[in-house]
Amino acid sequence: MWLFPLAAAIVAGAFATQMGRQFAAKRRPHQLAWTLALLLFALATLATADGIRAGWTPGLFRTFYLFGAVINVPFLALGTMYLLAPRKWGHAFAAVVVVASALGLKAVLDTPLRVAPLRAVKGIPDFARIIVGAAPLSRTLADYYSYTAFAIVVGGAVWSAWRLLRKARPLHNGRPLQQGRPLHKVKGNDHLRRLASGNILIATGTTVVAAASIVVHFGKGSVAAALFSIGLLAGITLMFGGFLRTRPKPVPAPSPAASPAPPAAPAQPAVDG
């Protein structure tokens, strides 16, 4: 079962690499925020894979808990804010995320753990059995951070998809174009639909990861652990697929046969002699 979170970490690493290259080329803040979020996800799933394979330690559990359950989704939400909201709103939200992350780090480090039951876990740890206390601050922060940030990420992706689909229906005198060229052949229409479908995949992938987290939060046993592990891989794969859908199609290079012939050389004057 540890292969599923390991594969999820590999996909997240590839996703982060692609997003990091975009940030290096364009220097847009939403790309940096999403790169950081994906790196956090990769670290959390690597810790999950190692914990399932070799046994859980307090360090692995805190890494899994902090980067996966507490501060990961807020950085995804930060990228959405920078992409869709005015830049000053993004800066303000970034300050909130930084403070919230520092508070989450302290809360996770201060959370007492039951080490003996943790070391005996063979799958995904049951938070209620591992964390000491009925409602520690770290668990409260994880709930508030995740639910709020999830709503921002999914809501932003769905709204973007809806807006793009509206743009993909060209208007003529205030009404959708019905005559002339088919809608799918209108210039730029295909790209807008690709962007919309990419956003839908990202929203779906985020929802799958959230659903997997809910399963392991409330479920117990090997079935819940398997669903969680598979859900991590399925969710991040859908998100990466959505990201790839938003990239423009490569323009094919013209074939040599289609290339224009070079201009003929001017005729040389005859030389007597």
Side-chain angles (χ1 to χ4, degrees), residues 115-126:
V115 178
L118 175 63
R119 295 187 185 278
V121 172
K122 299 300 182 182
I124 304 298
D126 181 358

Side-chain angles (χ1 to χ4, degrees), residues 15-172:
F15 195 172
T17 299
Q18 292 292 324
M19 189 64 69
R21 287 175 178 171
Q22 283 197 357
F23 173 71
K26 299 181 179 180
R27 298 290 178 177
R28 293 177 180 173
H30 72 275
Q31 296 164 341
L32 176 60
W34 284 339
T35 301
L36 293 174
L38 292 166
L39 290 174
L40 294 176
F41 184 92
L43 288 173
T45 48
L46 277 177
T48 304
D50 197 20
I52 296 174
R53 182 188 64 84
W56 287 91
T57 65
L60 283 176
F61 179 80
R62 293 184 197 277
T63 301
F64 157 71
Y65 194 37
L66 175 65
F67 295 151
V70 180
I71 67 174
N72 178 23
V73 188
F75 275 94
L76 280 176
L78 175 59
T80 300
M81 289 293 293
Y82 266 124
L83 182 65
L84 301 179
R87 180 64 62 89
K88 62 181 180 181
W89 292 13
H91 290 337
F93 194 76
V96 172
V97 169
V98 170
V99 173
S101 298
L103 180 59
L105 172 62
K106 184 178 186 306
V108 170
L109 293 178
D110 290 345
T111 298
L113 304 177
R114 296 184 176 94
V115 178
L118 175 63
R119 295 187 185 278
V121 172
K122 299 300 182 182
I124 304 298
D126 181 358
F127 287 35
R129 293 184 62 246
I130 302 304
I131 296 177
V132 178
L137 179 59
S138 59
R139 192 161 186 175
T140 302
L141 293 179
D143 290 342
Y144 278 112
Y145 290 2
S146 297
Y147 295 150
T148 304
F150 170 80
I152 293 173
V153 173
V154 174
V158 171
W159 181 79
S160 296
W162 174 79
R163 185 182 62 175
L164 289 164
L165 288 174
R166 281 183 58 87
K167 288 183 179 181
R169 292 178 56 83
L171 299 180
H172 179 67

Side-chain angles (χ1 to χ4, degrees), residues 268-273:
Q268 297 295 326
V271 179
D272 295 334

